[in-house]
Every structure is written in structure tokens, then in C-alpha cells.
Amino acid sequence: MKSDADEGYVELETDDGDYYVDLNAKNGSSVVSDADRVSDRNQLCELFVALGETNPIRRAIVNDNDIYGLLMRPIDTEEIKSEIDRLKTRKDDIDGRLEKIDRMVDRLPTLQAKADSLQKKIRDIEESLEAKREVIEEREVSGGTDEDERILEELQQKRTERETIRDRIRTQKEALSSLRDDLDGTSERLAEVHGADETQDFDEIETEIEQLHHQKQQLTTTINALSPIVEMNGQLLDDETDIPDQMKSDDIISELDPTSRTITCWTCGNTVERSEIAEQVRVVREILEEKRDQQSVIADRIESLESRKRQLEEQRETRKRLVDRKQSIEDEIERREEQVEGLEDDRSSLQSEIEALQTKAEEINVEDDELIGLYGDISDLEYKRGQLENELTDVETEIERIKSERAERDDLEAERESISEQLQEQRDRIETIERDLVSAFNESMQQVIDELEYENIERVWIERLTETTERSTSRTDFELHVVRSTADGAAYEDTIDTLSKSEREVIGLVVALAGYIAHGVSSELPIVVIDAVEMLDADRIYGLLTYFKQHADYVVTAVLPEEADELDSTFCSITTSTLDAAP
């Protein structure tokens, strides 16, 4: 939008539909108030479609900065790496599970032998019980009062109840021991994720993110305000024929010394020397670069803080689950401790009753002492049989569990194979796009060099470099190589900072085009918009547009009137004067 405009709009009519963007001026910058866009893929537009002077890839090439992160930005490498980590964790879990199943299966013969041994011991006890009951029946037939029999039967019953309660106490104590171990583990995990200042950290992060977004917006406003000034003054200085006559000086001294020529400043109206304007343009360019660097640093900081914010949110959820789990365990421990206390009271009461009955039994006729002993033996044998039956049940349950796990092994093997394939796909996904980017640039760059006839540049190419970090993870980078040739045809490698600004701008455009090709942007956005190509003459602009047209259905560029006149016969064109005249 123009600086004196309060609102503006853009409309696009196509065979597929009509689109628009409405803008309002706010705090010195343009803000979208309403829109029906062709695409909401802002990142693709910013990197590979809108190839103006402030395009991040062009700026990175001009300033010799890293381009890997920019070219790979549409591919959420962090998400892919996170998915790889998730798959690796699941694969490791399955491997551990398979190893555990194998160890469990190895135990089957031992468990089966133990089950057979327990069954034999139980049969032996049952045979002994049957023999002792036969003796008791014979004794009861031969003599003894009903009262004596009642006392002996009640004594046996109480002993059986006591042993049952003893088993229940043992079971409850084993459960309590397991619960306390679980509680200790939960408490340790809770201590690991606990942070006393976490809430404060979260609030501070949200505040800082909000402040950084505000700073980024201010920087964007500043950059948008300074860029047109630099561009216009740069054009005036680069091409003297563009300077209107009323802005030139006819002083003969200035003709002898071009740097002393004076120009009427288009902003303040004062007469200043070209060298002074050139110096001011240089200073403003440096400020612009500084602001762009600050904007990039702020964007990285925002991304880092957003990641930390998500991490804190996950910690909050984890801590809440652990707190709930801890409370649940503590409640269960308290409940079972009350049960144990009640059972121990019952056992103590039964012990008192048994002792009283034992005293009465001892008062029975002396010849019945052996009968009392038999009842005691039966009680002990029944208790031992109960223990053996419980142990046998545990062993048989374990055997069935192992057999069930063994049956699940085939499913785990199939899942493991599937995960291995997914892991390879995720790893190949990053590597494939990296190789596609390198291939697209190297092929395109060579054709553009030939098309634009850069005689002193032999080749410009990207090398894909990989290294393994200390954590055994792979890291990739793109290294840009420049090969020049001497007058006698000898080739030598040079650095990009030795190229002219126009050459670097062309390389930046081709790097962006490589991203456009490799990421398949044309399927969603079949258009490329190019601005700030005034450093090229009409022939090279023609060559550049012709090559770009091979990869995008629509290529739009803004050129100076002189180049437009030469290109008008080849490309459809529209002038800004036509736009100004439009209602």
C-alpha cells in the first residue's frame, strides 16, 4: 500500500474462481482485514513464490548465510525426527518385548516341571488326609460323646479359619509391598518432572513470546519502510539516465568528478552530492541487513520458546497424571492397611478361641488324645494343601500367560517389520528431498549460467554434506561452490563473496526455484513472482523468465520501463500508469 493510503485491496479472477485480499493501514504497516486466498501455505509463498528483494533465500545467498534450513523449512524435519524417535522407541520396546517373551518361553519346561511336582504333592496330601479321616471315623464310631465331637469339630473349624485369615493377611501384605514399590517409582518420576517455578517459567515464556512477536512486527514495519527508499535511491545512483533533468546539476566540476555531482533530494528537496546519497544508501542498507538479521534471530527465539512452552505443557500433563496416580496408590495402600489391621484382629480373636477350645479338648478322655492330634494334623494338612493349590494356580496362570505371549509373538514380529519399513521411509523422506534440492539447483544453475552467458563463471553447484554427531545422529548441510575460469580457460574454485551482487541475486533466484521444483510447489501454486531484477539487462531478464516459465505456469516480474519496452514483444505486460488510471 502507498504510505498515504488507509486501505487497499487486490483482486484476482481466474477460471477456477475469484480471490481477494483487503488491507488496512495500522501502525505504519499493512494489515489484512479480510481475504479469500488462493492458498494459505504462507511458508511456501514466502520462500519459493514471492521472490522479491526481501525473499529470505535471496538474502541468504547475497549475505553468504546458511540455506539448508530455509530450503528444508517446508519439511518439518523436527516432526520427522520426532516421528523417527517415536518409531525407534516403539521398535526398541518391541525388541525388548520379544526378548522377554523368548526368556519366558525358555522357562516353560521348568514351570511345567514345577506344576507336575506341585500336583504330586497335592495328591500325596490328599491321600494322607483321606487316611487320617478314616482313622477319625473309626475312633468316633468306637466311642466319644456328642459334646466331645462338637469341641473337636469346632477346634478344627477355627484352625481352618485361622489359616484362611493368615493366607489373606499374606496376600494383602504382598499387595502392599507391590503398591509401596509402585508408590516409590511414581514419586521418583514425579520428582523428575517437578519444577517449583514451572508456572512462573510458563508465564514468563508466554510474556516473552508476546513481546518478541511485537518486536518482530516493529522490525517488519521498519524493513518495509526502508526497503523502498533504498531501492529507489539505489536505482537513481546506478543509472544516471533515470534521474529526471530537474534533479541533475550542470556544474562542470561535477562532470569531471562524478562523485561530486549533485542531485535534488526527492525526499527533502535539498541539493546533495551523489556521494553523500550513496553513503546514506550504504548506511541504510547496513541498517536493513541488521534489522533482517535481528528479525531472523527473533524468529529463531520464538520457535525455541514455543518448543519450550510445549515441553512445559507436556510436563504439566505428565505431573498431573503422576499426582493423580500417586494419590490413587496412597488411597489403596491406606485401604489395604485397614484390611490387614482388621484381619490381624480377627486372627487374634480366633487364636483366643482356639486356645480355649484346646483347653477343653485336653480335658476330654485320655484315650482321645490321639484323636485330638489327628484333627490338628488334618488342619495342618489342609492348610498346606491350600498353599500348594495357590502356588499351583500361580504357576499354571504363568504358564498360560507365557503361552498367550508366545502366540502374540507373530503379531509383534509383523509390527516390528512394519515399523522398520516406516523408519526407513521417514529417513529416506528427508534424504530424498535433500538430494532433490541439490539436483534441481545444480541442473537449473548450469542451464541459467549458459542461458545468461556468464563467461567468467564456469559452474555454481551445491554439495550435500553429512556428518555424524556425538549422539550418533546424522546432520546435513548444503555447501555452495563457485568455479571460475581464467582467460586461458583454466578453472579454479572461488567463493561466493567474490561474485557481483547481481550474480549473487541470480543464484538466489535459482536456489529459490530449486526449492519450488523439489517441493512440488507448482501443483498448488503454479505461479512465481519476481521483483528487484533491475541489476540485469533485458536479455538476461528474458533468459531468466524463459527458464522459470519451464517450471511455473505463470511468471510475473516487475521491470524498469527500458527493459519493459524490449520485453513487451515477447511477454504480456501492464504498466503502473495503467493501474493508477484504473477506477
Side-chain angles (χ1 to χ4, degrees):
M1 287 171 54
K2 294 181 178 180
S3 58
D4 61 347
D6 295 327
E7 60 184 19
Y9 67 92
V10 179
E11 292 180 346
L12 174 65
E13 296 179 5
T14 72
D15 293 337
D16 298 327
D18 297 341
Y19 309 94
Y20 67 89
V21 175
D22 290 341
L23 305 169
N24 286 327
K26 185 176 181 181
N27 298 328
S29 61
S30 302
V31 178
V32 177
S33 58
D34 190 19
D36 182 7
R37 306 173 189 271
V38 176
S39 171
D40 291 326
R41 301 288 298 277
N42 294 338
Q43 198 172 80
L44 292 181
C45 292
E46 177 188 358
L47 293 171
F48 309 121
V49 175
L51 308 186
E53 184 180 20
T54 60
N55 176 270
I57 294 177
R58 286 182 67 175
R59 297 277 55 78
I61 293 297
V62 170
N63 300 321
D64 196 16
N65 293 334
D66 175 63
I67 58 173
Y68 177 85
L70 294 170
L71 288 172
M72 294 296 292
R73 186 177 291 174
I75 303 297
D76 193 340
T77 54
E78 290 303 318
E79 181 182 350
I80 293 175
K81 289 175 182 176
S82 176
E83 177 66 6
I84 288 174
D85 290 341
R86 187 191 68 80
L87 291 170
K88 285 174 64 178
T89 299
R90 178 57 183 160
K91 181 174 175 290
D92 292 342
D93 289 343
I94 292 175
D95 288 340
R97 186 79 180 130
L98 290 172
E99 291 177 5
K100 184 178 179 181
I101 290 175
D102 290 340
R103 290 195 301 268
M104 292 167 64
V105 171
D106 291 341
R107 292 174 55 221
L108 270 178
T110 302
L111 289 171
Q112 192 62 59
K114 185 175 181 180
D116 294 342
S117 174
L118 288 169
Q119 289 171 348
K120 183 178 183 304
K121 289 179 180 179
I122 290 171
R123 288 195 299 270
D124 292 342
I125 287 175
E126 287 176 342
E127 291 175 1
S128 180
L129 280 170
E130 184 178 355
K132 290 183 182 297
R133 287 193 181 106
E134 289 176 356
V135 173
I136 288 174
E137 288 178 3
E138 292 175 0
R139 290 299 183 98
E140 288 177 344
V141 170
S142 62
T145 66
D146 292 340
E147 179 65 17
D148 293 343
E149 292 178 6
R150 185 190 67 76
I151 290 173
L152 292 174
E153 288 176 358
E154 187 176 356
L155 179 60
Q156 181 183 0
Q157 179 185 351
K158 295 299 180 182
R159 283 173 172 170
T160 302
E161 290 179 10
R162 182 186 62 184
E163 300 310 327
T164 300
I165 289 176
R166 185 186 298 172
D167 285 342
R168 290 176 62 189
I169 290 173
R170 177 179 58 83
T171 301
Q172 292 292 347
K173 287 185 174 181
E174 288 176 353
L176 278 170
S177 177
S178 176
L179 285 169
R180 290 188 179 107
D181 290 341
D182 195 359
L183 180 63
D184 291 340
T186 302
S187 298
E188 289 177 3
R189 291 179 60 197
L190 187 58
E192 291 174 359
V193 300
H194 180 70
D197 298 329
E198 186 175 299
T199 301
Q200 181 180 353
D201 290 346
F202 189 88
D203 293 340
E204 290 176 353
I205 286 173
E206 283 195 321
T207 300
E208 185 175 354
I209 289 175
E210 184 177 348
Q211 293 172 346
L212 289 172
H213 276 299
H214 180 65
Q215 293 176 22
K216 186 179 178 183
Q217 180 61 43
Q218 288 181 323
L219 286 170
T220 301
T221 300
T222 302
I223 291 170
N224 291 339
L226 292 178
S227 294
I229 297 174
V230 171
E231 183 177 351
M232 182 170 182
N233 282 285
Q235 292 174 7
L236 290 175
L237 294 172
D238 289 342
D239 191 348
E240 184 182 1
T241 60
D242 290 337
I243 304 176
D245 293 337
Q246 60 268 30
M247 295 177 65
K248 294 183 181 179
S249 169
D250 295 328
D251 194 299
I252 190 169
I253 298 177
S254 67
E255 296 296 326
L256 298 175
D257 181 8
T259 61
S260 67
R261 292 177 184 174
T262 59
I263 303 175
T264 301
C265 178
W266 62 275
T267 57
C268 66
N270 295 327
T271 301
V272 293
E273 292 185 356
R274 289 174 59 88
S275 60
E276 185 176 346
I277 290 183
E279 175 62 19
Q280 292 299 321
V281 169
R282 184 191 66 77
V283 171
V284 175
R285 276 202 179 104
E286 290 180 354
I287 293 174
L288 264 177
E289 294 303 324
E290 180 183 350
K291 298 299 181 185
R292 287 175 180 136
D293 291 341
Q294 291 175 3
Q295 191 180 47
S296 176
V297 170
I298 287 175
D300 292 341
R301 177 60 178 166
I302 289 174
E303 184 177 352
S304 174
L305 288 172
E306 292 285 1
S307 175
R308 175 58 180 160
K309 180 181 174 183
R310 289 192 297 271
Q311 183 181 6
L312 288 176
E313 288 173 340
E314 291 173 0
Q315 287 180 354
R316 279 182 172 182
E317 293 175 0
T318 301
R319 189 174 67 254
K320 184 179 183 303
R321 289 196 301 270
L322 291 173
V323 168
D324 293 343
R325 172 65 177 162
K326 182 181 178 183
Q327 185 61 52
S328 175
I329 295 172
E330 288 174 343
D331 293 343
E332 181 66 13
I333 288 175
E334 184 178 355
R335 185 182 68 82
R336 288 183 181 271
E337 284 177 340
E338 290 175 354
Q339 288 182 350
V340 169
E341 185 178 349
L343 288 170
E344 287 178 340
D345 289 341
D346 292 343
R347 183 176 64 177
S348 177
S349 177
L350 280 170
Q351 183 63 33
S352 298
E353 293 181 30
I354 289 171
E355 290 174 357
L357 290 169
Q358 186 72 36
T359 301
K360 290 181 180 181
E362 290 172 355
E363 296 174 356
I364 296 174
N365 222 327
V366 177
E367 62 182 21
D368 289 334
D369 286 347
E370 184 180 353
L371 189 61
I372 295 173
L374 287 171
Y375 273 109
D377 291 344
I378 288 176
S379 179
D380 292 340
L381 287 171
E382 286 179 339
Y383 172 69
K384 188 173 183 179
R385 182 182 62 180
Q387 286 184 315
L388 290 173
E389 286 175 342
N390 289 336
E391 189 176 355
L392 178 60
T393 300
D394 291 341
V395 172
E396 289 177 339
T397 301
E398 180 67 6
I399 289 172
E400 291 303 316
R401 187 173 73 88
I402 292 174
K403 289 181 178 179
S404 176
E405 297 284 356
R406 183 173 59 183
E408 186 187 353
R409 199 181 196 288
D410 291 341
D411 293 337
L412 288 172
E413 286 281 8
E415 184 181 357
R416 184 184 185 280
E417 183 176 353
S418 173
I419 288 175
S420 296
E421 292 175 356
Q422 292 177 55
L423 269 172
Q424 193 59 47
E425 287 175 3
Q426 292 295 334
R427 290 178 177 132
D428 290 346
R429 184 180 171 192
I430 295 178
E431 182 176 339
T432 298
I433 193 65
E434 289 173 351
R435 294 188 182 280
D436 287 346
L437 284 165
V438 171
S439 175
F441 173 78
N442 292 343
E443 180 180 342
S444 298
M445 193 69 244
Q446 192 58 50
Q447 293 185 33
V448 169
I449 288 174
D450 295 341
E451 184 73 31
L452 272 56
E453 298 180 350
Y454 283 113
E455 296 179 355
N456 64 333
I457 300 178
E458 193 71 24
R459 184 186 177 201
V460 179
W461 59 289
I462 288 177
E463 180 182 9
R464 178 177 175 269
L465 302 175
T466 59
E467 64 174 348
T468 302
T469 64
E470 294 179 357
R471 300 173 62 183
S472 299
T473 58
S474 178
R475 195 175 105 185
T476 307
D477 196 9
F478 291 157
E479 184 173 321
L480 191 65
H481 296 271
V482 177
V483 179
R484 287 181 176 275
S485 59
T486 60
D488 57 3
Y492 66 95
E493 185 157 348
D494 208 344
T495 58
I496 192 170
D497 58 344
T498 63
L499 299 177
S500 68
K501 184 175 183 296
S502 66
E503 291 169 337
R504 280 180 282 170
E505 291 284 8
V506 169
I507 293 173
L509 287 169
V510 178
V511 172
L513 177 64
Y516 184 90
I517 297 170
H519 290 292
V521 182
S522 61
S523 61
E524 182 171 351
L525 293 162
I527 183 171
V528 173
V529 181
I530 304 173
D531 192 12
V533 290
E534 63 276 356
M535 79 294 294
L536 302 177
D537 57 31
D539 289 339
R540 283 181 170 168
I541 292 175
Y542 172 82
L544 196 66
L545 296 181
T546 301
Y547 187 78
F548 269 68
K549 190 66 177 65
Q550 298 177 26
H551 303 284
D553 294 344
Y554 304 98
V555 180
V556 180
T557 188
V559 297
L560 298 174
E562 293 76 7
E563 282 71 27
D565 292 340
E566 296 187 43
L567 297 169
D568 190 48
S569 59
T570 308
F571 300 101
C572 298
S573 64
I574 186 171
T575 64
T576 55
S577 59
T578 304
L579 292 175
D580 290 339

